[in-house]
Amino acid sequence: MSNTYVGRFAPSPTGPLHAGSLVAALASYLDARAHDGVWLVRIEDIDEGRAVPGAAQEILAQLHRLGMDSDREVVWQSRRKHLYQAAFDRLAAHAYPCGCNRREIADSRLGIAPDGAAIYPGTCRAGLAPGRSTRSLRLRVPEQGTDTISFDDRFAGRVSQRLATESGDFVLKRADGYWAYQLAVVVDDAEQGVTDIVRGADLLDSTPRQIYLQRLLGLPTPRYLHVPVVRNADGEKLSKQTGALAVQPGDEAGAIDALLAASRFLGLMLERPDSLAGFWQVAIPAWRLLLAQRNA
């Protein structure tokens, strides 16, 4: 395998793999294999309050039955808190304590970010008001005019975001004491040497914040590819909360059925193979062709 390409799939263990998360897993796996690269699995259980007991093990078992196993040891975010603390210590000059609760932020927000979050108005930028205590730790984004982050996504093309007006100062450590996703994912990707991130388009709007963190920490910026997300009949992203059913590969035929459905969503029109190994033999070159066609 080539160490010039390191990809990863990073599920949150809030439930088993469903059709939506399988699409993201398949895309990341195909991209790694199409580039003769390394494919990693990382369990993003930093939000331990939402983690469902046994879900991570079930996800790993589902991936195995589908023919997707991590090329290196599986990493668990909940065991890496010391790395996030060390990164925060390096960011201390750019961070500040915030005493606002959710209702206060909603009442004073500057608007709604592309990902649906409230844009923080900077209430505590100059310090906590008398009598207020720290609830979270936020990162100060650049002032307007110097706040634009741009990158080239391998599917979406050129993406730009103005952090000051489209994101606002964002949380690094939450009120419940957990490190925020934005910090943890940046630290993990760099520490694992990830060069290419393939994930759902629901995370496209988080990418500029992550790139800004990478720059502050002096870390390399990976290449990004965001694939469309699977939605239910109401147009909502498919998830456990919106009634997504678990992928149940069962026997080899069931595994092939699940993979064919996910590959068709990604735009790969494959004939049904006779075996799981046969699926991978046709799916990997088909992904290479799809990438070449999109680039053309």
Side-chain angles (χ1 to χ4, degrees):
M1 292 182 182
S2 169
N3 283 322
T4 59
Y5 181 112
V6 179
R8 49 75 160 176
F9 174 55
S12 298
T14 56
L17 280 180
H18 52 74
S21 49
L22 176 56
V23 164
L26 178 60
S28 65
Y29 187 86
L30 287 174
D31 205 58
R33 293 294 178 255
H35 289 87
D36 298 318
V38 173
W39 188 71
L40 310 178
V41 176
R42 179 171 71 233
I43 302 298
E44 294 199 335
D45 61 341
I46 192 64
D47 187 346
E48 297 176 67
R50 293 181 62 237
V52 174
Q57 290 78 6
E58 184 172 1
I59 289 171
L60 295 174
Q62 288 173 295
L63 290 172
H64 176 72
R65 290 196 295 272
L66 292 162
M68 292 185 280
D69 291 303
S70 181
D71 293 319
R72 297 177 186 163
E73 182 179 359
V74 175
V75 163
W76 302 67
Q77 282 188 333
S78 59
R79 304 170 187 174
R80 299 161 66 83
K81 297 174 186 176
H82 61 290
L83 296 176
Y84 313 139
Q85 179 65 60
F88 176 78
D89 292 343
R90 294 168 59 191
L91 294 166
H94 302 276
Y96 62 90
C98 176
C100 301
N101 59 39
R102 289 188 177 184
R103 172 168 291 185
E104 291 167 335
I105 295 171
D107 289 344
S108 60
R109 68 192 183 197
L110 296 178
I112 301 295
D115 61 0
I119 299 175
Y120 184 67
T123 306
C124 299
R125 260 193 170 210
L128 293 174
R132 302 302 297 268
S133 58
T134 300
R135 289 179 56 82
S136 62
L137 298 171
R138 290 184 179 271
L139 186 76
R140 185 180 289 104
V141 300
E143 302 294 340
Q144 292 188 46
T146 61
D147 63 328
T148 299
I149 300 290
S150 300
F151 68 100
D152 291 311
D153 187 84
R154 291 170 53 208
F155 263 31
R158 189 69 171 172
V159 177
S160 295
Q161 187 180 102
R162 295 169 297 171
L163 292 181
T165 57
E166 296 182 68
S167 169
D169 298 344
F170 56 93
V171 171
L172 297 179
K173 195 170 191 180
R174 301 172 5 177
D176 57 14
Y178 295 131
W179 292 105
Y181 163 76
Q182 306 294 357
L183 178 63
V185 72
V186 165
V187 171
D188 288 336
D189 286 333
E191 195 274 336
Q192 292 187 279
V194 172
T195 64
D196 288 79
I197 295 174
V198 178
R199 59 189 180 185
D202 55 314
L203 292 169
L204 183 65
D205 294 317
S206 290
T207 306
R209 279 171 279 175
Q210 293 167 19
I211 292 174
Y212 182 57
L213 278 171
Q214 291 158 3
R215 292 176 181 176
L216 289 179
L217 291 166
L219 302 175
T221 294
R223 293 180 291 267
Y224 290 95
L225 190 162
H226 289 83
V227 297
V229 297
V230 181
R231 300 186 181 278
N232 63 16
D234 296 323
E236 302 168 312
K237 175 194 169 187
L238 201 62
S239 67
K240 181 182 176 182
Q241 289 72 30
T242 58
L245 298 177
V247 172
Q248 297 178 323
D251 57 12
E252 186 172 19
I256 294 171
D257 288 340
L259 289 167
L260 282 174
S263 64
R264 286 168 185 152
F265 182 83
L266 289 169
L268 304 179
M269 298 297 108
L270 307 177
E271 297 292 334
R272 182 179 179 83
D274 294 330
S275 65
L276 189 57
F279 171 81
W280 294 114
Q281 288 173 0
V282 296
I284 293 169
W287 180 259
R288 287 197 190 100
L289 179 60
L290 178 66
L291 293 178
Q293 292 171 337
R294 291 189 68 95
N295 290 334

